[in-house]
Every structure is written in C-alpha cells, then in structure tokens.
Amino acid sequence: MTGKQAVLEVLRAEGVRWVFGNPGTSEAPLLELLGDYPQLRYALATQEGVAVGMADGYARASGQPAFVCLHSDVGLANGISLLINAYRGGTPLVMFAVNSDTRKQITGRTDLPAMVGQFTKWSTEVLRAESIGGAMRRAFLEARRPPKGPVFVSLPFDVLDETTEWRELASTRVYARAGADCHAVNEAACVLLSARDPVLLLGDRVAQAGAVREAVRVAEVLGARVYAAHYSEVNFPTAHPQFLGPLGMVTPAIKAMLSDAGAVLAVGTSVFGGFFYLPGASLSPETKIVHVDCRAEDVGTCEPTAIGLVGNIRASLAALAESLEERITVDARASAARRRECAAHRKRGRAHSTALTQDRAMTADRIMSIIAGALPPGTITVEDAGTSASALHRAMEFDGDRPLYGVRGGAIGWGMGAALGVKLAHENRPVLAVVADGSAMMAIQALWTGASLKIPAVFVICNNGCYQVLKQNLDLYRDTAPNRDGHANTYPAMDFSPPFDIAGIASAMGVRSWRVEDPETLETNLRDAFACGRPALLDVIMAAGG
C-alpha cells in the first residue's frame, strides 16, 4: 500500500476516532483518503491552537492518545504554544505533520523534529514508506507510556505516495505497574512517621496514575495536611477534610504556611518550580522531602530530597500506605488523629471566610457560587479561568464523579478547544468550560468548530476586561524586586479597551449566547444554556477588579 494508506491503517489499528487539525496543501493527499475510513472523523479547526487544545482535552478525558495533524512548518509553529502545555502537563498526544518533498533539500526544507524536539518525548521524520508503521506504532507507545506526553512524527510529501508491503499491527500494550523498592518504601515510612506535622504535596500525575485512593489512604494514616502543587485534574477529593487546596505560585506567604512541616511527601509533581525566582530555600533546613514520581528528572531537582522513589506512583503509594500502617505506633496514631482534626478545622475556617463574601456584586466568588448551585448532575468542568480559578475551587467540589480538567503549562488559549475535546470524549455528560476573557480571545475560533460539529459544550466567560493575572504578577514583582522603580499602580498594556463583546462574537459564529450583567439572571441563563442542546456561551461581565 501507499504511505498515506499506511498512516491511516495505523490510526485504525490504534482505535483513533478523531483527527484534530487544520489542513494544508501538504496533507491534502492524506485527507483525500479519509472517506475510505468511516471510523475516522476530521475535527476541523480554523486555527491550529484550537486543534491542539481539542486534542489535549480529548486525550485527558478519554485516557488515550489523541491524534492531531498540522500543516508543515507554518501550521506546526501555530500549535507549539499549546504543545508546551501538553509537554509540561504530560498529555498523551501524537502530533503529525507532512513536510515538503525530500527533493526540495537543496532549496530548503524545515527540520520539523528540531522545531518541536524540546517539547516532546520523542520526535522523528520518516524518510521511507516501509518505516511508517514502525514509527507510528512507536509514537502511540511513547505517548501512553509513563510519564505520558506528546510525541511528533513528520512525513515528507513524496513518501505519501511511495508503496510498501504492510503488516497490520497496533502498538504494544505496556503495563507499567511494577512493584516499589521495599527498602526505600520502608525508609520513607520511617521518615514520615517520625516527622512533626507532615504535609502531602500532590500533582496531576497522581490522577494520571489512577492513584487518588492510595493518596487518600496515605494522608489519613499520617493525618497530614494535603495541598495540590497544581490542581488541573482530580488528584485528591476536594471535599476531604484534610485537603486544603492548591498552593499555586510559591510566595513568602506559602513558605510561611509550610514552615512548620517536619516532612513533605511530594507525589507526581515537581517540588516548587515556577516562573519567579525567590532567594533561599522554600522549606526550612529541618524539613525532609520524600518524593514519589514516575518522572525521574523531577525528583531532587529543585529542593534537597531525603528519599526519592522513582517508579509507578500507584504501586509506590500502595506500598507506602502498607508500610505506614505496619509501623505506626499508638502514640503516632493519636498524633495523626489530632492532625486530622486540625486540618478539618482549618478547612471549616476557610469555608466560613469564603461564605462572608457571597453577597457582593458580580465578583468571581459570587459567580462561581451561583454556577456551582446550577450545574446538572455529573457535569465535567474545564477550567481556564485565570484569576477566577481560585474562586472556582472555593465554590466547587471535585472527585471521581465530578471531574475537573484545568489548564497547565503556562500558555493561555487552551480552554476553548479543550472543552470541545472533553465533550467529544464524554458525549453523554454535560461539559462546562469556565474561561477567562483573555484566554478565550486567544482561541475564540473554537466557537465556530463547536457550532460546525454541533458539540453542545457550555462556555462561561469571566469577562473582567483585562489581563488580571498580569496585574497580580506585576504586583508580586514589585513586592519582591531588588530595585524598585516607583511605578506602582500602573498596568501598561493589560486592559482591554474597548472591552470584548464575546457574546456578540459567539452569536456571529452560530453559538447561542447571553450577555450576563446581573447575578440574579446568571442561574437561569446557565440552565437555559445546558437545556438548549447546542454549543452555548454566557459572557459574564464582572465587577471592576473582579
């Protein structure tokens, strides 16, 4: 068969249902054959960032690698920002592009694997048709093998029409559940049991490993406070009395909050990475770190680590829980019970503090409180909400029955496409996307794709008329910069004037929309959006500074 047939045969063998992309001339011969493969549907996006966002959301919600097809170097370049999100977050994507003809070498061809190499687990260009099957199968294998992540395959235009013998074979299924090192696990248990006020710091690779139940078990044995380094997937039930929320960026206040911890058990995350550099250690010298992760390069990288366990997260936590239960003394069990009650008391105090703000105008807290009370049962939430995200986490509870998929990696513009991808993966469940106005405008073309494919996701746009997160980060810089220059209270290039009429844009693209300026109408509008059976959008105009 031809090279282009071989590509589609691998997709069929891998069980791929959707090809996410924006087409170009180079892949037209490949697309011409899609009619012969009715099990494959093309999700047409009018901008490559939307295609990558859809693929990212679909892969995370389905648990399987998503396939995204971009056009040569120019289309690939448009998708790189959200590829960075996928790489940093560990999303299993197979990104594919058709390069120019190999006979154009003298006049210039772009080295596509080099363009994306630092943001993929593996990248290659296939120069012969007989190598297509092996390369594509390895791509799917690498994408799904822990630590998961995106891969890239490039195919020259002339190889599309080369012929090759074909032997159908899907990629190898790898079961990465090997047992943990018993000696290391026991040593870690001793460190944690002997520490005052141990803390759990969890990342999204806990969710990816299916290890939430094991994380809860460890936390309860220790009576530990639990924080999320990031919370873009359900790595711990948010209603649990020991869960005290996402930490976000490490600030002096966060350092002070962790200063009493005798030990930190970090699982499935880097330890205190982030954009800003803060001098000095993030933890006191007496605090011992036990780090469990499947991503070896993150263990012991940022902070001195007492014990690092590299391997399957679920198996490691299960073994650690057993070791803790075997070794805990009567006195230690009593101390753990006191810590559990203390954590629950802190959680109740935070809830009371939040409740006092609910009677304000169209603030993020008011908006999220109303939304939380109006969601249909089983709603999946997609979060790309910028500075409104913390209010969303205060108002809503997330667990295995109420999933969350949040932006990760630093590039805004993810949430619009991601919500469509999540809905394609869960066609029978309601999907709500809460997206900041700045992020929405990065990928507003997603609304057309939603209307074209009749994907009934509901979008709530937090329209505060500015890049509020930039203002907050500028304030943080001013508070920590060694040489202050006296420009406080000025925020250049961070306000949107005139403000965006996102409801109007949505309507023009065929999406049902409402402009919401009164919190009294928000609940009714949201219920109507879910009931309309088509893509719908609420453009929520927030109070100044909201």
Side-chain angles (χ1 to χ4, degrees), residues 8 16 23 45 48 76 97 134 157 257 281 296 308 345 359 378 435 450 461 474 492-493 540:
L8 297 177
V16 172
E48 288 83 359
L76 187 60
F157 186 82
M257 188 169 65
H345 179 72
D359 60 347
V435 184
I461 307 301
L474 182 55
V540 181

Short mmCIF file of all heavy atoms in Angstrom, two decimals, residues 8 16 23 45 48 76 97 134 157 257 281 296 308 345 359 378 435 450 461 474 492-493 540:
data_model
loop_
_atom_site.label_atom_id
_atom_site.label_comp_id
_atom_site.label_asym_id
_atom_site.label_seq_id
_atom_site.Cartn_x
_atom_site.Cartn_y
_atom_site.Cartn_z
N LEU A 8 -3.07 5.91 7.80
CA LEU A 8 -4.46 5.73 8.21
C LEU A 8 -4.73 4.34 8.75
O LEU A 8 -5.57 4.16 9.65
CB LEU A 8 -5.39 6.05 7.04
CG LEU A 8 -5.33 7.50 6.54
CD1 LEU A 8 -6.24 7.70 5.33
CD2 LEU A 8 -5.68 8.49 7.64
N VAL A 16 -8.19 5.07 16.82
CA VAL A 16 -8.38 6.52 16.78
C VAL A 16 -9.74 6.84 16.17
O VAL A 16 -10.13 6.27 15.14
CB VAL A 16 -7.26 7.20 15.97
CG1 VAL A 16 -7.55 8.68 15.74
CG2 VAL A 16 -5.92 7.02 16.67
N PRO A 23 -6.21 21.84 7.92
CA PRO A 23 -5.49 21.24 6.78
C PRO A 23 -4.69 22.25 5.97
O PRO A 23 -4.99 23.44 5.92
CB PRO A 23 -6.64 20.66 5.94
CG PRO A 23 -7.81 21.52 6.25
CD PRO A 23 -7.66 21.94 7.69
N ALA A 45 -10.59 22.63 12.75
CA ALA A 45 -10.40 23.88 13.48
C ALA A 45 -9.84 24.91 12.51
O ALA A 45 -9.09 24.56 11.60
CB ALA A 45 -9.43 23.67 14.65
N GLU A 48 -4.67 26.47 14.43
CA GLU A 48 -4.01 25.27 14.93
C GLU A 48 -4.04 25.15 16.46
O GLU A 48 -4.07 24.04 17.00
CB GLU A 48 -2.57 25.22 14.43
CG GLU A 48 -2.42 24.91 12.95
CD GLU A 48 -2.58 26.11 12.04
OE1 GLU A 48 -2.83 27.22 12.58
OE2 GLU A 48 -2.46 25.97 10.81
N LEU A 76 2.54 23.94 12.20
CA LEU A 76 3.17 23.40 13.40
C LEU A 76 3.58 24.52 14.35
O LEU A 76 3.41 24.43 15.57
CB LEU A 76 4.39 22.56 13.01
CG LEU A 76 5.09 21.78 14.11
CD1 LEU A 76 4.14 20.80 14.77
CD2 LEU A 76 6.31 21.04 13.54
N ALA A 97 2.74 15.87 11.09
CA ALA A 97 2.79 16.89 10.05
C ALA A 97 3.41 16.30 8.79
O ALA A 97 4.28 15.42 8.86
CB ALA A 97 3.59 18.11 10.51
N GLY A 134 6.30 1.24 11.77
CA GLY A 134 7.09 1.17 12.99
C GLY A 134 7.14 2.50 13.72
O GLY A 134 7.03 2.56 14.95
N PHE A 157 6.33 14.85 1.87
CA PHE A 157 5.24 14.80 0.89
C PHE A 157 5.40 13.64 -0.09
O PHE A 157 4.43 12.93 -0.40
CB PHE A 157 5.17 16.13 0.15
CG PHE A 157 4.00 16.26 -0.78
CD1 PHE A 157 2.75 16.63 -0.30
CD2 PHE A 157 4.14 16.03 -2.14
CE1 PHE A 157 1.66 16.75 -1.15
CE2 PHE A 157 3.07 16.15 -3.00
CZ PHE A 157 1.82 16.51 -2.51
N MET A 257 3.48 29.23 55.45
CA MET A 257 2.45 28.24 55.74
C MET A 257 3.05 26.85 55.88
O MET A 257 2.56 26.01 56.63
CB MET A 257 1.42 28.25 54.60
CG MET A 257 0.19 27.40 54.86
SD MET A 257 -1.08 27.73 53.64
CE MET A 257 -0.29 27.15 52.15
N ALA A 281 15.90 28.79 50.40
CA ALA A 281 15.16 27.53 50.25
C ALA A 281 13.67 27.77 50.49
O ALA A 281 13.28 28.67 51.22
CB ALA A 281 15.69 26.50 51.23
N ALA A 296 11.57 10.81 36.44
CA ALA A 296 12.82 10.81 37.20
C ALA A 296 13.49 12.17 37.24
O ALA A 296 14.07 12.56 38.26
CB ALA A 296 13.78 9.78 36.60
N GLY A 308 14.10 9.67 47.34
CA GLY A 308 13.38 9.73 46.07
C GLY A 308 12.98 8.34 45.62
O GLY A 308 13.81 7.43 45.58
N HIS A 345 -10.41 21.62 60.89
CA HIS A 345 -10.74 22.92 61.47
C HIS A 345 -10.29 24.04 60.53
O HIS A 345 -11.02 25.03 60.32
CB HIS A 345 -10.07 23.07 62.84
CG HIS A 345 -10.34 24.39 63.49
ND1 HIS A 345 -11.56 24.73 64.01
CD2 HIS A 345 -9.52 25.47 63.68
CE1 HIS A 345 -11.50 25.96 64.51
NE2 HIS A 345 -10.27 26.42 64.33
N ASP A 359 -22.28 37.85 49.27
CA ASP A 359 -23.31 38.84 48.99
C ASP A 359 -22.79 40.03 48.20
O ASP A 359 -23.48 41.03 48.04
CB ASP A 359 -23.93 39.32 50.31
CG ASP A 359 -22.91 39.95 51.23
OD1 ASP A 359 -21.70 39.80 50.96
OD2 ASP A 359 -23.32 40.58 52.21
N GLY A 378 -23.45 15.28 37.34
CA GLY A 378 -22.43 14.64 36.51
C GLY A 378 -21.67 15.57 35.60
O GLY A 378 -20.96 15.11 34.69
N VAL A 435 -13.81 30.05 31.40
CA VAL A 435 -12.66 30.56 30.68
C VAL A 435 -12.55 32.07 30.87
O VAL A 435 -13.55 32.80 30.79
CB VAL A 435 -12.77 30.25 29.16
CG1 VAL A 435 -11.51 30.70 28.42
CG2 VAL A 435 -13.01 28.76 28.94
N GLY A 450 -17.23 24.33 17.34
CA GLY A 450 -18.31 23.77 18.14
C GLY A 450 -19.64 23.83 17.43
O GLY A 450 -20.42 22.86 17.45
N ILE A 461 -17.74 32.74 30.20
CA ILE A 461 -16.57 33.62 30.04
C ILE A 461 -16.53 34.61 31.19
O ILE A 461 -17.48 35.37 31.41
CB ILE A 461 -16.63 34.38 28.69
CG1 ILE A 461 -16.82 33.40 27.53
CG2 ILE A 461 -15.37 35.21 28.51
CD1 ILE A 461 -15.75 32.35 27.40
N LEU A 474 2.54 41.42 38.33
CA LEU A 474 3.33 42.65 38.38
C LEU A 474 3.41 43.18 39.80
O LEU A 474 4.47 43.64 40.26
CB LEU A 474 2.74 43.70 37.45
CG LEU A 474 3.49 45.04 37.35
CD1 LEU A 474 4.96 44.82 36.96
CD2 LEU A 474 2.81 45.98 36.37
N PRO A 492 0.50 48.91 32.34
CA PRO A 492 0.51 49.17 30.90
C PRO A 492 0.16 47.91 30.09
O PRO A 492 0.58 46.81 30.42
CB PRO A 492 1.96 49.61 30.62
CG PRO A 492 2.75 49.01 31.75
CD PRO A 492 1.85 49.01 32.93
N ALA A 493 -0.65 48.10 29.03
CA ALA A 493 -0.99 47.04 28.07
C ALA A 493 -1.68 45.84 28.72
O ALA A 493 -1.54 44.72 28.25
CB ALA A 493 0.27 46.57 27.31
N VAL A 540 -20.09 36.71 30.97
CA VAL A 540 -20.41 37.23 32.30
C VAL A 540 -19.54 38.47 32.57
O VAL A 540 -18.31 38.36 32.67
CB VAL A 540 -20.18 36.16 33.38
CG1 VAL A 540 -20.54 36.72 34.75
CG2 VAL A 540 -21.02 34.93 33.08
#
